[in-house]
Amino acid sequence: MTNTHSAGASLEYASPDEIVVSDALKVYGSGAGEVTALSHVDLTVKRGQFVSVIGPSGCGKSTMLRMIAGLEQPDSGEVSVFGAHPDEACAAKMIGFVPQVPALLPWLSVLGNVTIPSKVNRRADALRRTLPGHVARPATDPRVLLTKLGLGDAIDRLPHQLSGGMQQRVAIARAFSIQADVLLMDEPFSALDEFTREAIQVQLLELWEQMRTTVVFVTHSVSEAVVLSDVVVVMSARPGRIEAVIPIDLPRPRRQGLLEAAAMHEYEDLIREKLQTAWASGPVVR
Amino acid sequence: MTQQMNSSVIRSSSATRSSSSSPTRSSPVARSSGATRSPWRPRVWAPAVIAILIAALVWEYVATNNTYLLPRLGTIGQALATQPAFFLDNAWVTLSEALVGLVIGFVAAFVVAVLVTESGILRRAIMPLAVVLNVTPVVAIAPALVVAFGFGPAPKLIVTALITFFPILMNVITGLNSVSPPILQVFSTLRANRFEVLTRLRLPSSLPYVFAALKVVFPLSVVGAVVAEFSAPGAAKGLGTVISVASSNSRLAVVYAAIACLALMGAALLLLITLLEKRVLRWHESQLLKRE
Ligand SMILES: Nc1ncnc2c1ncn2[C@@H]1O[C@H](COP(=O)(O)OP(=O)(O)O)[C@@H](O)[C@H]1O
Ligand SMILES: [Mg+2]
């Protein structure tokens, strides 16, 4: 755990078709205020998978996502994104990040907000072609993307003219717009009301089923996790660790009504049970 | 020191931007049509007009009973009417000093704000100096500047630039740092470089703060120009010179006519900046509130 490999050395063995977090440790603060946000975290996400991460508040979901996004470094352990170091993956614009709030630029139109990623770091495409995990992907027209998300009429509007749900869809379109290899979403729907939330889930599912972009999706909602995901990762707190990895073996497309309610509930119960265990196990001394 | 710097940031509706407000502000509000809320309804303009009338009446009352204290409004009007070219001429001199000084102060403050935001070393080097400058009454330097630079425009421009520098500096620094963390995270995962973050995020985010500063600093620039003119009386033109010469000759009507010109000038500048703000900040919360 204490031996930290240099990034370059470990990446020789990292898989070009997976996102791998191996034995990651993250500690915030020091002395009495020390918090072990993540401990012995291992996670593998295969290319094209939709993976949800669920767990109690403070169990390190956001921390893990930020580590994959290259926004934070693990204190020990490794993170690789399709064979590349997260820094390299960012430099190649392989990562689409969707934060909890829409975080749009209020002075740009919807279209301007969706195209802004293509206007910064213009050397990324050249770099991307040199990386081992490179997969050619046709460019998507941002207008088509917005239309698919039901924002066709809102292209020229300013963010303040949109509802919260529409703003979050713009943020999702922005992440899709760079043909990212992976979308990292941190509770993107948590600020929305139930009805809006379900409507956006359906649109995200439809878009994802066409694009099949790899997604790591942090959520608080068990049913959301089951509806969307190929795999649900249950985490527990203090220290943050992975409690269970549950494959969701339900057919796609998973539109409303197409899913067998019974099968869904079975998975939901299973996840709730794991969450209970995670809760009950409480502070664990390792 | 941080405390002091924060407290000198100009607070106004446009300067308090809440990055956390976006998720709670949900569905688009149906904007009321402009016709029903015309600014020409009596209840909009009547209070101001009545207040002005009362002030004028009080003025007239005092002026009629104490001629040595205040000239009557009619006399002031007469002073303006008999030599309009004289006042226009001098007003133009003061206005151009104020504006040129303001532009110098603005550009300097903006450049320093960007440097200080981008570099920790420069911040630690420059900010103490800026704070010392702020606590020094710039007005007190004016006579020394006249000694050093003579009766030309130089001391007036320097005083105006100095007096406007600090408010702009503090507001632009706050504005450049007002980008919300989630937006910075998105730009960080795209590995946008510092220049891109500056031009695409920080500068546009600073605009509401720039306008808040301009509203304070436009009238200040006129103050700077007039004070500098006081220090070099007689030699050059300008409303400050007019006031100090007329005062020493006890020509009160001329003094107040010049002051009226200054007040009008300030009001016109404020109106200008507010109109410009409305156009430029269409996207900003402060403007939305006003429209609703
Ligand atoms: N920047 C930080 N500084 C100090 N502690 C942090 C920081 N970020 C997260 N933590 C702590 O790490 C733990 C995990 O946080 P987080 O990843 O945000 O959890 P989650 O997203 O699952 O709610 C929490 O105990 C939190 O207080
Ligand atoms: Mg979180």
Side-chain angles (χ1 to χ4, degrees):
Chain A
M1 192 175 93
T2 43
N3 98 46
T4 315
H5 315 280
S6 82
S10 69
L11 290 176
E12 304 285 320
Y13 308 99
S15 161
D17 280 314
E18 288 170 341
I19 297 169
V20 182
V21 178
S22 68
D23 202 17
L25 171 78
K26 183 74 196 180
V27 180
Y28 288 111
S30 58
E34 191 176 285
V35 177
T36 306
L38 293 176
S39 166
H40 297 292
V41 166
D42 289 292
L43 177 73
T44 303
V45 176
K46 293 198 170 60
R47 192 186 287 279
Q49 271 185 335
F50 196 120
V51 174
S52 288
V53 180
I54 196 166
S57 277
C59 71
K61 306 182 292 292
S62 299
T63 304
M64 188 167 79
L65 211 63
R66 285 200 301 271
M67 251 163 43
I68 299 172
L71 295 167
E72 267 182 272
Q73 312 302 322
D75 292 321
S76 75
E78 307 288 345
V79 180
S80 72
V81 178
F82 302 121
H85 189 270
D87 283 341
E88 251 179 329
C90 285
K93 288 207 269 196
M94 289 164 64
I95 293 175
F97 189 71
V98 182
Q100 197 164 346
V101 293
L104 303 178
L105 307 187
W107 54 87
L108 291 183
S109 69
V110 166
L111 188 62
N113 267 288
V114 173
T115 53
I116 190 100
S118 63
K119 290 177 183 148
V120 298
N121 183 9
R122 286 170 175 280
R123 273 171 300 180
D125 290 339
L127 175 62
R128 196 151 155 187
R129 270 177 246 121
T130 68
L131 292 178
H134 171 65
V135 176
R137 218 184 270 279
T140 26
D141 182 348
R143 288 168 190 277
V144 173
L145 208 53
L146 284 166
T147 309
K148 282 181 181 164
L149 283 166
L151 291 164
D153 298 333
I155 280 178
D156 295 318
R157 286 203 226 159
L158 288 172
H160 70 74
Q161 296 168 314
L162 306 177
S163 68
M166 291 166 95
Q167 291 184 9
Q168 199 53 274
R169 279 182 276 163
V170 176
I172 291 171
R174 174 177 64 191
F176 269 105
S177 74
I178 49 169
Q179 291 85 51
D181 286 80
V182 58
L183 300 187
L184 304 175
M185 307 196 187
D186 195 352
E187 302 187 32
F189 305 150
S190 62
L192 306 177
D193 60 85
E194 190 72 23
F195 183 75
T196 313
R197 190 186 180 117
E198 279 174 12
I200 298 189
Q201 280 171 16
V202 171
Q203 276 169 328
L204 176 62
L205 262 182
E206 283 176 7
L207 190 60
W208 182 80
E209 275 157 7
Q210 291 167 24
M211 315 270 286
R212 292 283 167 166
T213 310
T214 315
V215 176
V216 181
F217 186 95
V218 173
T219 178
H220 260 133
S221 158
V222 175
S223 61
E224 185 169 88
V226 172
V227 170
L228 295 174
S229 316
D230 297 315
V231 175
V232 175
V233 176
V234 180
M235 289 182 72
S236 53
R238 265 171 256 268
R241 63 198 185 278
I242 288 175
E243 183 73 29
V245 175
I246 303 167
I248 307 294
D249 199 7
L250 294 174
R252 289 185 189 270
R254 295 184 189 161
R255 304 247 193 314
Q256 222 88 34
L258 286 184
L259 271 187
E260 216 181 306
M264 256 189 81
H265 288 313
E266 222 165 275
Y267 278 115
E268 287 179 17
D269 290 343
L270 178 61
I271 291 167
R272 288 210 175 86
E273 194 182 302
K274 295 289 182 194
L275 281 169
Q276 292 285 338
T277 330
W279 223 199
S281 65
V284 174
V285 184
R286 285 215 182 190
Chain B
M1 191 180 91
T2 326
Q3 188 93 26
Q4 191 180 356
M5 293 186 323
N6 288 343
S7 64
S8 51
V9 171
I10 298 149
R11 301 195 196 284
S12 80
S13 60
S14 55
T16 52
R17 86 160 255 158
S18 47
S19 51
S20 57
S21 74
S22 25
T24 48
R25 205 187 60 226
S26 52
S27 55
V29 186
R31 314 236 177 270
S32 54
S33 65
T36 56
R37 302 210 161 191
S38 156
W40 306 115
R41 289 177 308 160
R43 56 181 301 174
V44 175
W45 53 259
V49 170
I50 291 170
I52 289 170
L53 280 179
I54 291 174
L57 281 177
V58 172
W59 180 294
E60 278 300 287
Y61 177 78
V62 174
T64 316
N65 296 307
N66 312 277
T67 33
Y68 55 91
L69 212 62
L70 286 179
R72 295 182 55 175
L73 291 172
T75 328
I76 298 173
Q78 220 167 4
L80 283 169
T82 47
Q83 39 182 357
F86 168 77
F87 284 103
L88 269 181
D89 213 22
N90 284 292
W92 173 246
V93 169
T94 302
L95 181 65
S96 48
E97 285 166 2
L99 289 183
V100 174
L102 175 68
V103 168
I104 296 170
F106 184 86
V107 170
F110 214 99
V111 169
V112 171
V114 169
L115 291 177
V116 157
T117 326
E118 293 292 317
S119 152
I121 292 177
L122 286 179
R123 182 176 63 243
R124 288 187 288 277
I126 293 175
M127 285 322 288
L129 281 177
V131 171
V132 168
L133 176 66
N134 182 44
V135 297
T136 309
V138 173
V139 167
I141 311 174
L145 289 174
V146 173
V147 172
F149 296 99
F151 290 80
K156 288 130 195 169
L157 299 185
I158 294 172
V159 169
T160 310
L162 284 178
I163 223 170
T164 53
F165 177 80
F166 196 79
I168 299 173
L169 176 70
M170 293 321 294
N171 258 41
V172 176
I173 288 175
T174 308
L176 291 173
N177 287 316
S178 70
V179 186
S180 75
I183 296 187
L184 286 173
Q185 287 185 337
V186 170
F187 268 59
S188 170
T189 55
L190 295 167
R191 286 296 183 274
N193 62 36
R194 291 179 78 159
F195 182 74
E196 287 163 343
V197 170
L198 177 67
T199 54
R200 297 202 179 262
L201 293 184
R202 295 196 188 279
L203 289 179
S205 298
S206 75
L207 280 178
Y209 296 81
V210 169
F211 275 102
L214 283 179
K215 283 186 195 166
V216 168
V217 139
F218 258 92
L220 258 188
S221 70
V222 177
V223 171
V226 169
V227 164
E229 286 170 359
F230 282 167
S231 305
K237 287 180 162 184
L239 290 172
T241 310
V242 170
I243 290 171
S244 94
V245 171
S247 302
S248 54
N249 299 333
S250 303
R251 293 171 62 200
L252 266 194
V254 174
V255 170
Y256 278 96
I259 292 172
C261 291
L262 287 171
L264 265 180
M265 214 154 84
L269 289 176
L270 209 57
L271 183 68
L272 200 78
I273 203 70
T274 309
L275 290 177
L276 191 66
E277 182 184 31
K278 242 184 203 154
R279 282 201 72 86
V280 176
L281 293 187
R282 249 189 258 268
W283 50 270
H284 192 255
E285 285 159 32
S286 63
Q287 303 305 309
L288 306 182
L289 291 177
K290 278 179 209 161
R291 249 181 274 158
E292 271 161 24

